Amino acid sequence: YSKTPAPVDKMRLIYEYAARLVNEIQTQRELASAENNELSVHPENMDTGMFLAEIASVYRLNDAARGKNLIVSPDSENVMMITEPTLLGRVIGNMLKNALEASQKEETVTLKCAARGNDVEFSVMNPCFIPYDIQLQIFKRSFSTKGKNRGLGTYSIKLITERYLKGSVFFTSSEESGTVFTISLPSDFTK
């Protein structure tokens, strides 16, 4: 009996590590472009119901989702809006990844959309409480509780939402209710 991975397993591992490295390079490049006001914005009509279903499907396959539940809230609203779907996907993806990484096995992360007048709110909820000292630093560049070379997720959420999507980001966290990150965007990006 050998503990050496089979050739197919080795190839799969190499592929997974290469994909992660490419994603990290793309993330760093996109962040640098965002900070230098160089990101291209291409607004499109978007159906939030389809968008949430797609992004939830993708993130259910993420390593951070293993053993956890990721759902789109049954009372999530389906809204037609005009926004930049690629950047919105990056923001919601960071919100989901953070929530999944903070959650324990068998816990549920919930994604939701709601219309609020002329705005659309996207929320990601998890049952975890963020201690107050961490809450004060949550949007700072390179602040992380997850180790070295981390901490760009919440920073990029705020940067992209405010600078490129014309929106705002906020969160609440309590021991009783857990944590909810919310971004609020105009329903028509072009106005």
Side-chain angles (χ1 to χ4, degrees):
Y1 177 78
S2 171
K3 291 188 178 197
T4 304
V8 172
D9 290 340
K10 285 182 183 178
M11 292 301 294
R12 184 179 50 79
L13 285 173
I14 290 169
Y15 175 79
E16 287 176 9
Y17 285 123
R20 286 182 191 165
L21 183 59
V22 167
N23 186 47
E24 185 62 31
I25 291 167
Q26 289 172 331
T27 299
Q28 292 295 330
R29 185 178 294 151
E30 183 178 88
L31 182 61
S33 293
E35 289 176 321
N36 292 322
N37 294 318
E38 297 170 351
L39 278 185
S40 297
V41 178
H42 306 285
E44 297 177 19
N45 287 317
M46 190 184 86
D47 177 313
T48 64
M50 289 177 55
F51 173 80
L52 293 184
E54 288 172 10
I55 201 161
S57 293
V58 168
Y59 276 85
R60 284 186 188 110
L61 302 174
N62 189 288
D63 285 344
R66 192 168 293 138
K68 301 164 190 172
N69 304 303
L70 173 56
I71 64 167
V72 175
S73 175
D75 63 344
S76 188
E77 296 179 56
N78 188 26
V79 180
M80 291 305 296
M81 67 183 297
I82 300 173
T83 193
E84 212 305 343
T86 303
L87 294 178
L88 179 58
R90 178 63 79 179
V91 168
I92 301 291
N94 280 334
M95 292 166 63
L96 285 171
K97 187 174 177 190
N98 287 343
L100 289 164
E101 287 177 348
S103 299
Q104 302 299 311
K105 296 235 185 258
E106 305 301 321
E107 290 183 333
T108 299
V109 171
T110 305
L111 183 54
K112 183 177 179 180
C113 177
R116 301 278 187 254
N118 292 328
D119 294 333
V120 180
E121 288 185 355
F122 294 91
S123 299
V124 175
M125 300 156 261
N126 74 23
C128 306
F129 168 66
I130 300 173
Y132 295 111
D133 59 326
I134 294 172
Q135 289 183 35
L136 297 173
Q137 303 177 70
I138 204 88
F139 292 116
K140 289 184 179 177
R141 192 183 202 291
S142 298
F143 173 77
S144 177
T145 61
K146 299 172 190 162
K148 193 174 179 178
N149 298 322
R150 302 289 304 263
L152 298 175
T154 52
Y155 170 76
S156 69
I157 289 168
K158 185 172 179 61
L159 175 68
I160 292 170
T161 299
E162 292 179 355
R163 193 176 292 181
Y164 295 94
L165 298 176
K166 300 181 181 178
S168 60
V169 60
F170 53 94
F171 72 97
T172 59
S173 189
S174 69
E175 291 185 40
E176 304 78 36
S177 303
T179 299
V180 180
F181 271 83
T182 303
I183 61 168
S184 179
L185 304 176
S187 59
D188 186 346
F189 179 89
T190 61
K191 290 184 179 179

